Amino acid sequence: MVRKLSFIWMLLMMLLVAIGCSSNSNSSTSESESNTGETVEEPNIEETQELTPITQVTTWFAQPSFGGVYAAKYQGLYEEAGLDVTIQNGGPGVSGVQIVAAGEAEIGMAHATDILVARNEGIPIVALAAVFQDYPQAVLFHQGQDITSFSDLNGRTVTTAPGAPWWDYIKEAYELNEVDEMVYSGQLANFIADETSLIQGFVGSETYTLAQEGIEVDYLMVSESGFNPYGVVMFTTEKFLEENPELVRTHVKATMEGYNYYKDHAEEINPFILEDNPDKTMEELNFAAESEVDLIFTGDALDYGVGYMTEERWETLRDQMYELGVIDEKEDLSDIFTTSYLK
């Protein structure tokens, strides 16, 4: 009886082992082959990777100044970095500083003067990278006028935005106490009608518009006045930076790579900008992109790469704005900007 039970037990064990081997074999086959014998591809982990949503606010309507952002988005640089970036355009009455400070966007753009004013008002934002090494603002005048320096503006009508720090600096530095100031509204009609007048403008924008009207102009660059803030500065809040350092790093890196790409491929990227700003033309966008290259890829950017910032530049600007009374405190520079997230 004992021998019979032992024999039955041994048969059961052999049967269980055989069933187990068959199951493993079938499982292995099902993972690598279909029921027709064809190889089944394993899922691509990269293709199924979830992208982190980021909103990037610009300073104005879509234009070549933000070409690097558009290049990074439409060349897939953001996606490669694991980011799903939404570009939110600025415009009249749109404050990127307020939007980012309120948590409605993660990354913003503003001029360096705006960064300092915001910090002075207690808004804890931090500059991450500066697109324009030379400030793109200029003062335009009709060709043929006897103007070679800002001191030649005395006795003339100048149309500018009231309260602009660069204009306050120029008035004081060049003793412009005989200027007839007009408030800038974006319209060029008065400037066109008065050949002795001057108006603020960007070298890649108003100069093109006026040329289409048959008006040839020359200009004085604000950056050559002694007041040269960084232009189109990327920033975020102290809180977001502290909580998401790698996210900020990958976003800044991809954006700067985008500007390097846009430099040589503007005509490829400009159609995407045109989609967001159909009031422009391709010719106008191409003109602006070419005009701005020398303002972006100059100075420290030649040695350290696009976006680079120095303590000396920020200190000079902070002190100038303090002396002008635009800010009432000289804040620690380490709180204002960082280059730690640049390549």
Side-chain angles (χ1 to χ4, degrees), residues 142 187-199 210 215:
H142 291 256
Q187 301 300 314
L188 302 173
N190 291 337
F191 171 74
I192 293 174
D194 183 359
E195 292 188 358
T196 66
S197 68
L198 301 95
I199 191 170
L210 288 165
I215 308 298

Side-chain angles (χ1 to χ4, degrees), residues 96-170:
V97 170
Q98 295 296 334
I99 291 171
V100 173
E104 297 173 3
E106 289 72 31
I107 306 291
M109 285 178 157
H111 297 308
T113 51
D114 301 323
I115 301 288
L116 287 170
V117 169
R119 296 281 321 185
N120 190 70
E121 294 174 350
I123 302 175
I125 57 176
V126 183
L128 304 168
V131 175
F132 284 88
Q133 290 289 316
D134 281 350
Y135 196 51
Q137 187 72 258
V139 180
L140 283 55
F141 56 92
H142 291 256
Q143 277 190 1
Q145 293 296 309
D146 186 20
I147 297 175
T148 58
S149 167
F150 288 99
S151 58
D152 296 327
L153 272 56
N154 263 326
R156 295 176 180 268
T157 298
V158 181
T159 300
T160 63
W166 63 267
W167 177 237
D168 289 342
Y169 172 86
I170 288 173

